[in-house]
Amino acid sequence: MSEQKALLLETVNGPFVVSTVPILKPGPDQLSIKVVAAALNPVDWKVQAWDILIKEYPAILGSDIAGDVEEVGEGVAGFSKGDKVFCQGYFVSEMGGFQQHALIPADIVGKIPPNVDYAQASTIPLGFNTAAIGLLRAQPEGAGLNPTFDPNVNFSGQPALVVGGSTSVGQFAIQLFKLLGYSTVIAYASARHADYLKSLGATHVIDRGEVPVGSLAEAAKKIANAPIKIAYNAVGDNDSRAACIDAIVEGGQVADVSPEAKDPGNGKRVISIIGTSHHPPHREFGRILWKTLPRLVQEGTIVPNRVEKIPNGLAGIDEGLQKLKANKVSGVKLVAFPQETA
Ligand SMILES: NC(=O)c1ccc[n+]([C@@H]2O[C@H](COP(=O)([O-])OP(=O)(O)OC[C@H]3O[C@@H](n4cnc5c(N)ncnc54)[C@H](OP(=O)(O)O)[C@@H]3O)[C@@H](O)[C@H]2O)c1
């Protein structure tokens, strides 16, 4: 059996170790993907620190993959060996991105359009899924703004708020609000990202260095030309959630990245997002998403995050995760290249 390099989380709260594991054959409906680029996410250090989401150790993590189709499983149509693809990894080892070859269900894989490279493509899957599931997916799992990606849906005239606009997820939420036709898209982020976030579709950026989160709701309401019915919380802590809840009108909704997020019981809805199209209840939505996303990227409607490349293949990932954990990553996505592992 052929072998590959993988980054193993060996035990609960254990270290990440580069190791050698077998290359698995794709099962029915799966693609075997040679992982060229794998983006890093906060969930990866959270799994290590908090022992969440993983059922079996040693585990291979990594939720963002871009690479080449290597082998096509039985029953798969529409993909061939050599296709350049991007997709979400998942929390079972065969589907993790922190290895040189991963197995992913073909129905939630997209082809990389020619205008983005592997590294850029790898910045999109988890962030975009988390933004889209929270905003577009039907209620109760999402805010139900456009579950079928219908191009005729339009919220012109309405305002929206994104707290954590410069996060990876927040950047995609801003772009989705623009796609949905919102007239006012207010982002809360550091001022140094203002021009970039405006290029993505924010109409206003409230500087989090100047306006404390406790004053954010008032500041957002002042900017908004109408009651705010929808907010996206890409930070997910209690203060940011309280600001979102305060900013929206009764009957309004907050899509929140935290698993702890709950309805406040005051006529406002808070959605706790499970941001993966692998999640069985999201699967149908995920299929629609992955059919639509390559076109949105190709036409420039959805642009990738800015990339910071990590050296040393899989061996560089641990240091990158420590930077994420220490809040030392701002407005960029860290991307590793598993094939460069020594
Ligand atoms: N529920 C899910 O399925 C799901 C999926 C994906 C992510 N998440 C969670 O969503 C969160 C964001 O993930 P990510 O990958 O998008 O993060 P990220 O890109 O790594 O976030 C870094 C950014 O966070 C911003 N930030 C930190 N504290 C902030 C605050 N109090 N207010 C506003 N901005 C703040 C910083 O902004 P500035 O540079 O502007 O200061 C920085 O640019 C994480 O907690 C992650 O675990 C959840």
Side-chain angles (χ1 to χ4, degrees):
M1 187 180 282
S2 319
E3 295 191 316
Q4 59 157 337
K5 293 278 168 41
L7 186 71
L8 298 185
L9 180 58
E10 290 197 307
T11 55
V12 173
N13 306 135
F16 284 108
V17 178
V18 176
S19 189
T20 303
V21 300
I23 299 176
L24 303 177
K25 303 288 278 179
D29 305 320
Q30 286 184 327
L31 295 174
S32 167
I33 297 170
K34 181 176 172 188
V35 184
V36 177
L40 279 59
N41 287 284
V43 71
D44 303 315
W45 71 255
K46 290 178 184 181
V47 166
Q48 184 191 32
W50 302 343
D51 184 26
I52 51 171
L53 297 167
I54 293 295
K55 296 203 170 75
E56 270 182 42
Y57 289 85
I60 300 171
L61 310 184
S63 292
D64 277 320
I65 294 171
D68 297 322
V69 172
E70 191 140 86
E71 200 176 334
V72 175
E74 192 193 319
V76 173
F79 289 97
S80 320
K81 183 174 164 63
D83 283 343
K84 295 180 172 188
V85 292
F86 63 140
C87 54
Q88 254 185 303
Y90 199 46
F91 301 101
V92 285
S93 288
E94 65 181 34
M95 299 188 192
F98 296 162
Q99 58 189 328
Q100 294 177 317
H101 303 265
L103 302 180
I104 304 291
D107 59 338
I108 49 173
V109 172
K111 290 190 185 153
I112 301 176
N115 57 322
V116 297
D117 62 23
Y118 292 109
Q120 291 173 310
S122 77
T123 70
I124 300 173
L126 178 59
F128 183 80
N129 270 268
T130 306
I133 287 166
L135 294 178
L136 309 187
R137 167 102 162 85
Q139 294 179 348
E141 290 89 354
L145 299 182
N146 190 358
T148 59
F149 287 81
D150 177 351
N152 298 314
V153 168
N154 194 297
F155 291 87
S156 174
Q158 296 199 30
L161 172 65
V162 180
V163 177
S166 68
T167 65
S168 174
V169 175
Q171 292 177 37
F172 291 114
I174 290 170
Q175 296 182 71
L176 280 174
F177 280 129
K178 182 182 178 196
L179 176 64
L180 291 167
Y182 279 84
S183 298
T184 307
V185 181
I186 304 164
Y188 185 56
S190 292
R192 65 181 172 279
H193 298 307
D195 288 345
Y196 183 64
L197 298 186
K198 284 182 180 169
S199 80
L200 298 180
T203 56
H204 302 76
V205 177
I206 299 177
D207 177 8
R208 78 182 190 99
E210 197 167 297
V211 177
V213 68
S215 308
L216 170 59
E218 270 331 294
K221 284 189 232 178
K222 237 184 237 165
I223 293 168
N225 48 330
I228 301 173
K229 294 183 187 162
I230 182 78
Y232 193 98
N233 183 11
V235 175
D237 64 8
N238 290 340
D239 291 345
S240 56
R241 186 171 318 113
C244 288
I245 291 168
D246 195 8
I248 60 169
V249 73
E250 204 178 314
Q253 305 185 84
V254 177
D256 194 298
V257 293
S258 170
E260 314 293 327
K262 288 193 180 58
D263 267 345
N266 60 1
K268 301 179 182 185
R269 260 192 97 218
V270 173
I271 302 145
S272 172
I273 304 164
I274 299 173
T276 171
S277 46
H278 287 268
H279 182 52
H282 291 344
R283 196 58 176 263
E284 192 46 45
F285 177 78
R287 286 190 192 109
I288 300 171
L289 182 154
W290 280 103
K291 278 208 170 64
T292 312
L293 178 59
R295 175 178 55 77
L296 296 178
V297 175
Q298 174 146 19
E299 67 194 24
T301 306
I302 296 297
V303 303
N305 298 153
R306 292 172 296 188
V307 169
E308 183 177 319
K309 295 184 178 180
I310 290 191
N312 303 326
L314 295 165
I317 288 176
D318 192 19
E319 194 180 326
L321 294 180
Q322 296 316 314
K323 272 174 76 177
L324 272 174
K325 189 175 181 181
N327 279 325
K328 287 189 179 145
V329 179
S330 171
V332 294
K333 195 91 176 164
L334 304 182
V335 177
F337 300 88
Q339 305 301 323
E340 294 177 3
T341 311

